[in-house]
Amino acid sequence: MFLNKSMLLSFILLNFVGYSQEKSHSEKKTTASYDLNEVIVTATRTSRQLSSIPMPVILITKEQIQKSGSVRLRDILLEQTGITIVTDFGNSEGVQLQGVAADYTLILLDGVPIVGRTSGNIDLNRLTVNNIKQIEIVKGPSSSLYGSEAIGGVINIITEKPKREQLKGSVSYFARGGAKNELDINTNVVWKKRKLGIVAGGNLNSSEGFDLSPETASKTTAPHQSFTGNLKVMYDFSDKLRGTISQRYFSQIQGDNSEENKQKDWNATVKLSHDLTNKWNVDYTFYVTKYNAESIFNEERTNYDQTLLRPEIKSKNTFSIGTLILGTGANLESLERTEFNGVKKFNTPYVFGQFDFNPVNNLNVVVGARFEDSNRYKSAFTPKVSSSYKITNWLMAKGSVGYGFKAPDFRQLYFNFKNTASGYIVLGTQTLHDLYGNLSEVQMIEKELKAESSIGYNFGFQVQPISNLKLNINLFRNDIKDLIDTFDTQLDASKLNLPLGTRTFSYRNIDEVYTQGVEVDMRYKVNNNFRVLGGYQLLDTGDKGQEKKVKSGTVFFRKTPTSSAQRMTLSNYYGLPNRSRHMGNLKVFYENYQYDFSANIRAVYRSKYALFDTNDSQGIIDEFDDFVSANTQVSIAVDKTFFKLMNVQVGVDNLFNERGLENKQSFTNNDSVLRLGSTYYGRIQFNF
């Protein structure tokens, strides 16, 4: 079932002995084009060229996804500047963007949200890269267009659609061996004839799981089998009226005899796009998604069932001075969960607007705002202003200031989780007051959580000193206010009718935190055959409340477990947990157009980071705490196409077997500090 060494050697031999017909001169020129003027839609909800967007944006093309050997969304995001995948203590992974936590990043599929978060995180392995045209990542607060959860930014997955009459498709088989045994089978069909277009695809993925700590009883990741199916039907009723119906279905079974987890994720979108005039377009969209997860652990069954309905109308008007977007809609959300009492509902109508214009030559300004009114939290108004100015033909300045917010989620309001065996319970603020509101100690704890809010600043330059070199330099700052955090209520267990010694946790708004830094992206075309891509991020983070404590002189720490306590100063203060000061990536791509052969080598670096306070300094991380060591992972891939009908790819991820074993002593039984060893893979794809 899984790739073995003999198969890998066969694939390598095929790559070096096979060749195909030479491409024409025009095809070479097209393939080697360096000027990346791809169109993106996420940043402004209109089609704009990447180079003209006045805010920091990453565009990941289909070619980059395929060349890197990625099969799930997680794989390709790991290699992007300013992005890292972090693991919490529940072994749930999420995307950290510019140092902002994963639950503040909104993940979209063709502009509509994916639901079903675990501990605030979307499981990225639920999302296959099958049928993806490109991935668009907007950094910084984007609530002016997308509402709650977009404090850190937006990741929008754009799927394929036919642009002309055509029939094409592919079938691929991917197998990974080594530290991770995985099988991935894909099929795609794109067809268009006159007014009708169809895109369909299927993906099967399975893994035997893996175990980073064999000495412990459970596996790090249990075996799984999953299926993803997608279907998109487009019909042009006339030159001015177009309709699209699309749906996606995901199903996964994970676990073994003692533990089982089932997930189902279904969504459907109906969209009508009507050109009322040459300059006035209206989109009518209805979106519905349902996510369900059932788990069995120690013979105890839990259920998570979430539904979201979203009707929306968006109008786009083009004037001589600019483009105006106006829209209105509503999020109708419900969640039923074992740890909740009854079905909880959020109803959130909203309106938004944006004006994109050029007041003078070389100056582009985008002004937008959104207003949301909810039945569960205070209304929110989120404006944003972005602009770019072309100073010279090779230098452009860009800047943006945006306000973001994140509403308290169902878990923070209604959670009712009891783990009496471990001696603790976790209650949402509403549940805490519903159960124990008659106690004076509970009445002093906030019942109504405030929505978290942020102001994000981005300023930088797009520089192209020579035709083959392009640099993007961006300075950023994110200030997050009213952060919602878990805390120990210190309530007397006897008053709550709980076993003696049981600790009760709930949620509260705390002081501000910030992330700031600089990021640099570089694209350099050495010649028609070689391209170099690189990126670097310097990150500084902090909790303003903790900094005040340090300044007051009331915080002490120990350099070693046996040394005497010393007063902490700001020079000792490190910042927020699970953040690295330095991150970088470097990728070299080689193309041989004569023989349809390509190869690449990619390296990703992450400097040290701390998970929590380990030297008893009031939960504040300092330079003498235990840190997860820095690591660099290098991957290579080789790709060969035969007569445009068959493609063969082999590669090795984590080439030098970086595993993080030096972290085991400081972080016992914590698999999040360990990494997979080397994995090798092969893919064969047939095109028609």
Side-chain angles (χ1 to χ4, degrees):
M1 178 178 179
F2 296 96
L3 183 68
N4 57 40
K5 292 182 179 179
S6 61
M7 290 175 64
L8 177 63
L9 290 173
S10 300
F11 279 136
I12 293 174
L13 287 172
L14 279 171
N15 272 277
F16 284 99
V17 302
Y19 65 92
S20 65
Q21 295 177 348
E22 181 179 352
K23 291 189 176 184
S24 68
H25 177 73
S26 61
E27 283 183 312
K28 290 182 192 177
K29 186 175 180 180
T30 301
T31 309
S33 175
Y34 171 73
D35 189 13
L36 298 178
N37 283 324
E38 297 96 337
V39 172
I40 72 168
V41 298
T42 308
T44 60
R45 294 191 74 165
T46 58
S47 297
R48 290 279 301 265
Q49 287 186 336
L50 174 62
S51 59
S52 71
I53 298 294
M55 56 201 73
V57 177
I58 293 176
L59 176 62
I60 307 172
T61 65
K62 186 180 187 72
E63 180 189 16
Q64 292 176 18
I65 295 171
Q66 291 176 336
K67 297 294 186 186
S68 67
S70 301
V71 293
R72 317 307 279 183
L73 181 62
R74 178 190 186 278
D75 302 335
I76 191 66
L77 291 181
L78 272 171
E79 299 182 356
Q80 309 309 312
T81 304
I83 297 178
T84 188
I85 308 299
V86 298
T87 306
D88 62 21
F89 293 107
N91 209 30
S92 171
E93 286 189 329
V95 181
Q96 189 185 102
L97 194 61
Q98 287 186 340
V100 179
D103 45 350
Y104 303 103
T105 299
L106 183 63
I107 298 181
L108 307 174
L109 180 65
D110 286 328
V112 290
I114 301 293
V115 302
R117 291 180 179 264
T118 302
S119 300
N121 301 325
I122 295 290
D123 181 6
L124 301 178
N125 289 317
R126 282 167 48 193
L127 301 168
T128 174
V129 299
N130 180 38
N131 202 38
I132 290 181
K133 174 190 173 186
Q134 62 191 45
I135 301 170
E136 303 173 2
I137 304 169
V138 182
K139 298 179 180 180
S142 300
S143 295
S144 62
L145 286 177
Y146 296 101
S148 181
E149 296 181 5
I151 281 181
V154 174
I155 298 174
N156 192 8
I157 304 160
I158 310 294
T159 60
E160 289 271 16
K161 65 177 181 179
K163 293 183 178 180
R164 62 183 186 278
E165 289 199 2
Q166 62 180 186
L167 172 62
K168 67 175 184 178
S170 64
V171 177
S172 68
Y173 179 97
F174 174 96
R176 191 193 308 269
K180 181 180 182 181
N181 289 323
E182 182 180 15
L183 174 66
D184 194 87
I185 300 175
N186 268 319
T187 180
N188 279 302
V189 176
V190 178
W191 176 81
K192 187 173 184 180
K193 184 73 172 179
R194 296 175 184 171
K195 296 183 177 182
L196 179 64
I198 295 176
V199 179
N203 173 262
L204 292 170
N205 183 273
S206 64
S207 170
E208 293 182 347
F210 56 88
D211 195 359
L212 299 176
S213 300
E215 65 274 11
T216 59
S218 60
K219 279 191 171 184
T220 304
T221 297
H224 78 264
Q225 291 185 337
S226 69
F227 167 76
T228 304
N230 57 273
L231 175 65
K232 182 185 295 185
V233 180
M234 292 152 287
Y235 188 78
D236 298 335
F237 297 97
S238 68
D239 292 340
K240 295 184 178 295
L241 183 63
R242 301 168 299 280
T244 302
I245 299 176
S246 59
Q247 72 170 14
R248 170 183 169 273
Y249 176 77
F250 168 81
S251 177
Q252 176 173 279
I253 299 177
Q254 183 176 30
D256 48 31
N257 295 330
S258 61
E259 180 180 354
E260 185 178 76
N261 181 281
K262 296 180 180 180
Q263 297 182 68
K264 292 182 180 180
D265 183 10
W266 173 81
N267 55 64
T269 305
V270 179
K271 181 177 180 179
L272 284 175
S273 184
H274 192 186
D275 297 332
L276 300 177
T277 68
N278 291 335
K279 297 183 178 181
W280 185 13
N281 168 267
V282 179
D283 290 338
Y284 308 89
T285 304
F286 181 78
Y287 173 65
V288 57
T289 182
K290 185 177 180 64
Y291 173 79
N292 176 263
E294 294 183 6
S295 299
I296 300 175
F297 181 68
N298 290 336
E299 299 183 352
E300 184 176 345
R301 182 184 298 272
T302 60
N303 183 67
Y304 183 108
D305 199 336
Q306 184 176 6
T307 302
L308 171 67
L309 302 176
R310 173 187 282 184
E312 182 181 281
I313 301 175
K314 178 175 73 74
S315 170
K316 175 186 174 184
N317 300 76
T318 303
F319 304 97
S320 59
I321 60 172
T323 302
L324 175 66
I325 289 178
L326 296 173
T328 184
N331 290 320
L332 309 175
E333 190 175 5
S334 65
L335 178 62
E336 183 177 7
R337 188 171 178 177
T338 303
E339 295 85 2
F340 291 176
N341 296 320
V343 179
K344 307 302 179 184
K345 296 183 178 182
F346 276 4
N347 296 326
T348 312
Y350 59 84
V351 294
F352 63 91
Q354 176 185 270
F355 189 46
D356 183 344
F357 65 106
N358 295 78
V360 297
N361 289 337
N362 297 334
L363 177 63
N364 176 237
V365 179
V366 181
V367 180
R370 181 180 174 116
F371 177 80
E372 292 197 2
D373 187 24
S374 174
N375 65 328
R376 294 299 181 185
Y377 57 89
K378 292 182 180 179
S379 59
F381 177 70
T382 51
K384 184 174 183 177
V385 179
S386 305
S387 65
S388 64
Y389 183 72
K390 190 174 183 180
I391 302 170
T392 68
N393 289 333
W394 57 271
L395 179 62
M396 179 184 291
K398 298 183 178 185
S400 66
V401 179
Y403 184 86
F405 86 103
K406 181 180 181 298
D409 61 29
F410 290 105
R411 172 175 51 98
Q412 293 158 345
L413 295 176
Y414 304 113
F415 212 38
N416 188 354
F417 176 77
K418 295 181 173 64
N419 190 336
T420 52
S422 298
Y424 73 92
I425 65 172
V426 184
L427 303 176
T429 57
Q430 297 279 349
T431 302
L432 178 65
H433 281 265
D434 289 344
L435 294 176
Y436 308 110
N438 59 321
L439 298 177
S440 59
E441 299 94 325
V442 173
Q443 293 173 8
M444 296 176 64
I445 300 174
E446 290 182 0
K447 181 179 181 181
E448 301 290 339
L449 289 174
K450 300 175 185 176
E452 299 169 283
S453 62
S454 77
I455 298 180
Y457 309 87
N458 285 272
F459 177 76
F461 296 93
Q462 180 176 293
V463 187
Q464 192 166 1
I466 57 177
S467 61
N468 289 354
L469 175 64
K470 185 179 291 185
L471 295 171
N472 281 289
I473 304 167
N474 182 56
L475 287 80
F476 63 88
R477 165 92 180 192
N478 296 291
D479 286 290
I480 303 176
K481 183 181 178 183
D482 293 323
L483 189 74
I484 298 175
D485 189 37
T486 308
F487 78 108
D488 189 339
T489 64
Q490 304 290 324
L491 293 172
D492 186 345
S494 62
K495 292 185 178 181
L496 307 181
N497 297 319
L498 296 171
L500 189 65
T502 302
R503 301 171 67 186
T504 304
F505 293 89
S506 189
Y507 301 89
R508 65 180 176 186
N509 293 106
I510 63 172
D511 288 333
E512 300 179 48
V513 301
Y514 64 86
T515 72
Q516 61 186 6
V518 60
E519 50 195 5
V520 180
D521 264 307
M522 177 270 295
R523 294 170 181 261
Y524 179 55
K525 177 185 173 185
V526 181
N527 53 40
N528 287 335
N529 302 105
F530 282 95
R531 288 182 299 130
V532 180
L533 283 68
Y536 168 75
Q537 177 182 270
L538 171 65
L539 179 67
D540 177 44
T541 66
D543 182 321
K544 293 183 179 180
Q546 292 181 347
E547 290 180 348
K548 287 179 182 178
K549 282 185 178 181
V550 174
K551 288 179 181 178
S552 70
T554 59
V555 181
F556 293 83
F557 69 96
R558 299 178 187 274
K559 290 185 177 181
T560 66
T562 58
S563 64
S564 58
Q566 299 182 35
R567 182 176 284 107
M568 187 184 297
T569 66
L570 284 179
S571 63
N572 307 126
Y573 181 64
Y574 190 80
L576 300 178
N578 222 335
R579 271 78 171 177
S580 295
R581 289 271 172 87
H582 308 279
M583 292 195 303
N585 62 82
L586 183 65
K587 309 163 209 173
V588 180
F589 292 89
Y590 169 75
E591 296 277 355
N592 186 311
Y593 300 109
Q594 181 178 359
Y595 298 112
D596 276 337
F597 169 83
S598 67
N600 64 77
I601 181 167
R602 312 178 314 277
V604 178
Y605 170 76
R606 183 181 182 187
S607 68
K608 69 175 185 177
Y609 58 95
L611 294 178
F612 46 82
D613 169 32
T614 58
N615 60 0
D616 299 323
S617 53
Q618 301 184 35
I620 298 174
I621 295 173
D622 60 77
E623 59 183 333
F624 297 103
D625 279 305
D626 291 331
F627 282 78
V628 179
S629 63
N631 71 93
T632 301
Q633 296 196 38
V634 178
S635 301
I636 59 173
V638 178
D639 195 283
K640 176 76 175 76
T641 300
F642 297 88
F643 306 103
K644 299 182 182 180
L645 298 176
M646 183 177 73
N647 175 267
V648 177
Q649 182 184 53
V650 294
V652 181
D653 290 336
N654 195 5
L655 180 65
F656 299 111
N657 201 33
E658 169 67 59
R659 298 184 62 192
L661 297 178
E662 63 273 19
N663 301 308
K664 268 197 168 186
Q665 184 174 357
S666 297
F667 302 95
T668 307
N669 296 329
N670 188 344
D671 284 3
S672 70
V673 303
L674 304 176
R675 286 169 286 279
L676 281 172
S678 297
T679 62
Y680 47 87
Y681 63 86
R683 185 204 308 266
I684 183 167
Q685 178 172 306
F686 298 94
N687 306 307
F688 60 87

